[in-house]
Amino acid sequence: MNLPEEYIARMRALPDADGYFSCLDEPPVRGVRVNTLKISPSRFLSEGFLQTDGAVSWAENCFYIKDEKPGKSLAFAAGLFYVQEPSAACAAPLLRAKPGERILDLCSAPGGKGTQLAAAMRGEGILVLNEKIPSRAAILSENVMRQGVRNAVVTCADPEALEARFENYFDKILVDAPCSGEGMFRKEPAALAEWSGQNVRMCADRQRKILNSAAKMLRAGGRLVYSTCTFSEEEDEKNAAWLAGRGFSFIEEHKLYPHRVRGEGHYAAVFEKTAANETETGAPARLNANARARLPRADKRSAALWRAFEGEFFAAPLSGELLRFGNALYLAPEGVFPLDGLKVLRSGVRLGEISGDRFEPDHALALAADGENFCNANELSDVDAAKYLRGEEVPSSCGKGWCAATWHGFALGLGKSVGGVMKNKYPKSLRRP
């Protein structure tokens, strides 16, 4: 690998630098994380949905893979796993996310760590996944949908714009900051092409600004994990030391290098906030008391149309707060904060739209539902599942009307059954060639 001289000089400081430089000529390591919101790791492995090559030692439910193109599998379309570089999976578990907490992933796209946190929360609590770049936020939202996450609010905002609104609000925050990407050199040549000492310093400055915003949004006693996919001291250890001097207690840090572990490399540091910015309960009270009256709750007619559909389509009702944005209905997580003034791409599960006197279900509803909860499911073979993902009609064993297209009991999407045929309702933007 042709490395810049300045970078070579930096990395020569490693006691085992020769091993590092040698490993850069080896192929990148690939991995996946099993989505436990939908399937257990034991079932995932026993059914052989992918060719795995051992477990990742530092991240639960993560496995190395042999498959060259896991995103082409039917299991990927069903949201049974997330393609995640093994080293990158080390950061989210350090946050120790639990059900019922308020958690923020401040720089969340494309969503690997955020959906990892969602699995730990098991659908309970409020998970805010933020990405300031609109195109990346759209990718994040799509990945959240595929993984069937029910309690996430996906926002698109600059971290500084969130400070005042969420002061002292979150129990835990993950800051996986934009960085110089030195741990991406083997898998993304663009990261190497863009590297420079100047870019490292620019990233370090930007990371401190993001950390400053995160610090204001974390409650006293809350936990913060700061991570990067780079190796420079300016972006890693020096920024960790900077944060430790600003009302935070340093707990531990981890630094993974590609020549020492089976992965591309990552840095993560853990902190606890020891001081509040003002009264510890100020922001939560503002966001969860009278202000919640501003939530755009669904009107009676819209709610009735949804409940009628829900009663026919599901064996058990879904939980959450029913909101309406334009003609779209969402089932937001319980206790969700006011959403006005925020650019929100997704608030919980997008149920569907009100069209005249009908409720039209959305693709996201199928992916977020438990397979055994469908009253009308059309189980597809491998061949028919592949046809369905291409947008083709397939045979139906369901009664007339809306049905879930399932494979191995997991939803791929929706269809309408008519005369033994399922009319395809898989989104055109997601269809495979």
Side-chain angles (χ1 to χ4, degrees), residues 74 380-390 392-395 407:
L74 295 172
L380 303 177
S381 65
D382 288 2
V383 171
D384 284 339
K387 289 181 178 178
Y388 172 78
L389 295 179
R390 292 196 296 267
E392 300 176 20
E393 293 183 355
V394 292
W407 170 79

Side-chain angles (χ1 to χ4, degrees), residues 33-37 58-62 82 84-94 97 105 111-122 127 129 147 149 174:
R33 174 177 46 79
V34 175
N35 180 13
T36 55
L37 292 174
W58 54 80
E60 192 177 15
N61 309 321
C62 295
Y82 189 98
Q84 190 168 18
E85 192 278 307
S87 297
C90 76
L94 296 173
D105 182 2
K113 296 176 179 66
T115 54
Q116 198 172 3
L117 295 172
M121 297 176 74
R122 299 198 295 272
L127 175 62
L129 305 177
Q147 295 280 290
V149 178
L174 173 64

Side-chain angles (χ1 to χ4, degrees), residues 2-14 20-21 180 182 185 192 194-202 231-235:
N2 189 18
L3 300 170
E5 289 298 324
E6 183 181 357
Y7 183 71
I8 293 174
R10 282 169 168 260
M11 298 306 287
R12 280 293 176 197
L14 291 175
Y20 170 72
F21 291 124
S180 60
E182 295 167 0
F185 285 178
L192 175 58
E194 294 171 1
W195 188 91
S196 70
Q198 180 181 1
N199 187 47
V200 168
R201 292 185 288 274
M202 181 192 71
F231 309 126
S232 74
E233 284 193 20
E234 296 97 318
E235 299 176 75

Side-chain angles (χ1 to χ4, degrees), residues 49 82 94 104 152 183 228 267 275 314 371 390 394-395 405 416:
F49 291 129
Y82 189 98
L94 296 173
L104 168 65
T228 75
Y267 174 80
F314 294 110
R390 292 196 296 267
V394 292
K416 262 193 171 181

Side-chain angles (χ1 to χ4, degrees), residues 237-364:
E237 291 87 350
K238 289 184 179 180
N239 271 350
W242 177 88
L243 182 62
R246 285 162 173 76
F248 280 80
S249 174
F250 175 80
I251 298 175
E252 60 179 325
E253 67 180 352
H254 302 263
K255 197 155 191 173
L256 308 180
Y257 285 96
H259 62 302
R260 298 176 185 170
V261 302
R262 194 178 173 192
E264 299 307 295
H266 218 76
Y267 174 80
V270 186
F271 302 86
E272 182 178 298
K273 187 174 180 179
T274 55
N277 299 317
E278 52 175 46
T279 59
E280 186 175 344
T281 58
R286 289 196 299 273
L287 291 171
N288 286 305
N290 294 334
R292 280 176 34 81
R294 302 198 306 269
L295 284 170
R297 301 187 185 280
D299 57 276
K300 291 183 179 180
R301 177 175 169 276
S302 299
L305 290 172
W306 154 247
R307 295 303 177 193
F309 176 87
E310 180 188 41
E312 294 179 358
F313 200 68
F314 294 110
L318 308 183
S319 62
E321 301 203 26
L322 189 61
L323 306 180
R324 178 169 177 168
F325 299 88
N327 289 328
L329 293 185
Y330 282 79
L331 203 60
E334 296 283 358
V336 69
F337 47 83
L339 302 169
D340 53 310
L342 291 172
K343 184 176 181 180
V344 178
L345 282 71
R346 185 173 300 274
S347 180
V349 179
R350 193 178 196 278
L351 301 176
E353 292 193 357
I354 301 299
S355 178
D357 59 354
R358 302 188 315 277
F359 171 79
E360 300 280 340
D362 189 85
H363 178 66

